[in-house]
Amino acid sequence: MKIKPDSISAVLIILLIATLLAFFTGVFPYPYGWIIIMVLLVFRLNANQKKE
């Protein structure tokens, strides 16, 4: 099982890291952003895996 991230997955990973940092530093008081981004990333990586 190989996971090959594409450019959209890379952007989602960067957004995930940024929202996690913002949440833990107190900029965003609610974790909804990184939860949504994580779900999108999982769906994107699964879609890429099924293409192969």
Side-chain angles (χ1 to χ4, degrees):
M1 178 167 129
K2 284 188 172 183
I3 297 175
K4 293 185 178 180
D6 58 345
S7 59
I8 295 174
S9 298
V11 170
L12 286 172
I13 291 170
I14 292 169
L15 286 174
L16 179 64
I17 292 169
T19 53
L20 281 172
L21 288 173
F23 174 70
F24 288 121
T25 57
V27 176
F28 294 141
Y30 304 108
Y32 302 128
W34 62 269
I35 292 171
I36 292 169
I37 292 172
M38 187 172 299
V39 168
L40 289 174
L41 181 62
V42 167
F43 283 136
R44 181 67 185 182
L45 291 175
N46 281 336
N48 284 346
Q49 185 179 6
K50 289 180 183 179
K51 281 183 183 177
E52 296 177 1

